[in-house]
Each structure stands twice: as C-alpha cells, then as structure tokens.
Amino acid sequence: MTLPQHAWGGGVRVPRHKNLSNTGASRVPPLPARLIYPLRSHIGTAARPIIKPGDRVLRGQCLAQPDTYVSQALHAATSGVVRDIGDFPVAPGDITATCIVIEVDGEGRSVDPWPPLSADADGDAIQRRLVEAGVIGMGGAGFPSHVKVREGLTRTVQTLIINGVECEPYITCDDRLMREHATGIVAGARWLKRAVNAGECFIAVEEDMPEALAALQSHAGEDVTVGSVPAIYPAGGEKQLIKMLTGREVPSKGLPIQAGVLMHNVATAQAVYQAVVEGRPLMSRYVTVTGSVQQPGNWQALLGTPVSHLLQQSGWGGYGKQQVIMGGPMMGMALSHLEVPVTKVTNCLLVQEAARVSMMSMPCIRCGECLRVCPVQLNARALYEYARAGDLDAAQDLHLFDCIECGACAYVCPSHIPLVSYYRQAKAGIAATERRQQTAAENRRRYERHEQRLAADQTAPETAESASPAGTMDKEAMRAEITAAVERVRAKRAANEPPDPTNGGESGAA
Ligand code: SF4
Ligand code: SF4
C-alpha cells in the first residue's frame, strides 16, 4: 500500500546504483584478528570501560557501560583477550579516540543470553533492556534508543515511524536486512510501539524496494502499516519523512517528539527485537561494501571489525587512485585510514575513483539550482557565499544549522562547488568559537568564585579560626597556600589548558 504522502519540497532524483550490491544474500566474513571498540562513536558521552588489558572476554560480555544518560554500553562481539585501551584512529578523518582492542581467539565462546522480556513488559522495562543491550540509532545519528523511548514515555507519541527509506545511492544494507529479517523488524516495531503507546506505526520503504516491501508486509497487520514512498533523495531524512507521512513539521533545532513523532531506523527495530526477545546485545550490523570492488555486497559485520578486513573480503586490493568513502556518495566522508572500525552507525563503504570524488569547481553562476532542490528550503547559494567569505553570523542568520548536509545542492550545482564542505567548515568554525567562549566564561566564573573565597577568608572573624581545621594552621602559611593555589589557576589559564574530557570538561583547577 502507499503511505500518507504530504509534499515536503525540494529533493532530487539521483542514479541509484543499488543493484550493484543488493542482488545477493548478505555474507558473514571470517573473523578478523582484532576488534576495535571506540568508547564514543555516537552522540553523547563516552562509555566507561569495565574491563582491563589482559582480561579474557566472551561474546556478549559487556566491555563498557554508559557513563551518563546519553551514552551507550559496548559488548564483545566474539571471545578473545583485551589487548589495549588507548587511542586509535576512528572514522572519518584523522580523528583518534579511546578504544578497547580485543584480540580475537577464534573460539566464539559466549555468555548466556538474557531471558526474554515478558509479553506484558512495560515501557520502563523495555527502556532498561535497551540501555543494557547498548541499542542506539543505526541509521546514522547514533542517538541512544532508550533516550527516545524515554521521550515517548513522558510525552504523547501520535506516530511511530520505522525508517526503511534508504535513499542515498549505492547503500543497500537496510534493503538486505529488510528482506532477510522482516520478522524481527516488524516485531521490534511492535515492541517500540507498545513501549511508548504510539497511536499509529508506519514502516516506510522506497518504491523501488519491492522485495523488502513484500517481506515486511507479510508480517504486518492493523497495528503496523507497511508501505512505500517515492524514491526521491533525501526522502529518508528525518524531517522530510515526518513531513511526508504526517504533514507535521519538526521545528527548527527541535526534535521529532515535538511533532508527536518518534522515528527509528529498521536496523534499530531489529536490534530492539534481538535485545528484548532474543536477549542479545547489539554486536553486529549489516554493512554494504560497494563501488569498485570485485565482489560488492552486504556483510554481517561484527562491530569493531576493521574496515580493511571487509574491503579485503570484498576483493579490493588497495588505494591506488581510489578513495574509500564511509557512507554514501552524498553524505559520506573519505577515509584516510583503513584500520578504523565498523561501529553501530557504519552503513556503507564505497570505493570510488578519486577523479569522481573531487571535480574541479568553477565560480557560482547564480543559476539557483541549489535553492530548488534543498529539502529544508534554505538559501543554499547565500549560505555558500557567507561561508566562503567567513561571515559566520550571516550564515547562522540564514539557518545554517538547519542544513542536514544532504548534498542535494552540491549534486545539482553545475559549477561543481563542494557546497557541503563549506557548510561543514562554517559549522565547525561556529562550534569552535562557541567552545572558546564557553571555556573563557567558565574560567572567568571560576576565577571570580576563587577571588570571592579568598576575600572571605581574609575578612573571616577571628572566632571562626578556632572552630575550623584551618584555624589550627599558621595564618601566614594559610594565606601562602591560597596565594599559591591562585597562582596555579592563573598559570593554567595563561597556558590555555584544554578542558579535561574525563572530568566533564572541567580542568580540575581551583
Ligand atoms: S547551484 Fe551552484 S552555480 Fe548554481 S547558484 Fe547554486 S552554488 Fe551557484
Ligand atoms: S546540503 Fe544543506 S543546503 Fe544543501 S540541499 Fe542539503 S540541506 Fe539544503
């Protein structure tokens, strides 16, 4: 059936290149020699390791626990030995992050699964299981799923959307997952719907995914509606799909729940089913490897698998004049390091000729094509001009942060201007400025508090000294100690010491 369809404006029809990788069944790669788990690979704070180097771990064993509400648990995807906890490259770019490294022993020994939740488990119990299982949004953003469920427990959810609209070219991991695991996806959707007491539930796929549609529909019923939407890029964007299916708008900088909607990716729904019914944490995901490789297709990859391993299994020999994109051609990013691991949000590795990735850009001819296709109705040309000129305030005034970096504007630009790169750089520049301002403000507040404490100590009544442990100290020694502490604060501030991320951003001074 066709789902409700409201116009959302913009978008572009792009060559799909899906047949390259979606015709064969997904494959299980051989075990890699090691698995790498970044403690932070999603929105939120890093997980806290509960193992140490030298420990033996089993498949399904928890390696790291969520350290805050917006965080995730990590689990070993097979048995082995913890070899290291340290900084390793993570994708994309040249970023490094703290990772747990497991040397795989090949024995595949597991911990026992958790018992399934009872059929009448409530939203709180489901939420707790999702925390325990480390389920996060697998569609790209990586938002912890339990946080979304919590939002749904406290606010009215009119519509739950399970997003199978895999609109970016080349990527077919969700397509294959829907064909091969429709039972789990629909069951997971039902658990999510019950958890948040949603009024309706839609599972949406694109019109050119007939096999996935048929597989899902065979498990659907009155409580879960499965249907298709036009294959227009980026129909699978969160705000675009919500607008299309409900007619409601998510406010600028707002969340879907403000439009009465919760959205989860199909792979997330499958992970919910595994956690709730099969008692298994999130340990693997489907990853498309496609483009210029000998055997394109989809892999059931263990989380932590180095990208190089999947590329090798797909018959790719090396860089040469090629680039490996993590993600699709529209929103993905080129990898500069192939030992980066597959994480819960890694959907695709696309190998392309470098010449196709970077084309010579020309001056803007003010054709307006970028404005026509923008799904958020931004003035993409003006944003580019402001970003290029470094006028970040003006770019912000034009709602730069509403840009979803879909790349539709760059795709249609006849001058081949890498528009999204300009937007990303502008966003990064604004974020860096805000971080500097926040740090300076916090340092100022801390120093002022310290000065106040110092002044209060100097004017404290003599009688207080006898009641205080400090009262037993020599007054001159006490002042000297305080002065030394203040000097340490000044010295640290002068050195512009970066915040300590392990201490919630506090430097620990003063
Ligand atoms: S599509 Fe490219 S050339 Fe046309 S207005 Fe936009 S930035 Fe300029
Ligand atoms: S990348 Fe941003 S500006 Fe360009 S079309 Fe997408 S949302 Fe609009």
Side-chain angles (χ1 to χ4, degrees), residues 148-166:
K148 285 191 183 179
V149 169
R150 174 56 57 191
E151 285 172 1
L153 288 172
T154 54
R155 301 174 71 164
T156 302
V157 179
Q158 292 167 260
T159 309
L160 170 67
I161 297 174
I162 306 298
N163 187 350
V165 181
E166 196 170 41

Side-chain angles (χ1 to χ4, degrees), residues 370 373-376 378 380 383 402-410 420 423:
C370 52
V373 299
C374 179
V376 197
L378 297 176
L383 276 178
D402 282 348
C403 168
I404 59 172
E405 300 179 12
C406 67
C409 52
V420 181
Y423 306 149

Side-chain angles (χ1 to χ4, degrees), residues 484-504:
V486 172
E487 285 308 317
R488 282 199 298 275
V489 174
R490 286 196 179 119
K492 283 189 176 182
R493 195 172 49 175
N496 198 21
E497 183 185 69
D500 177 359
T502 63
N503 192 24

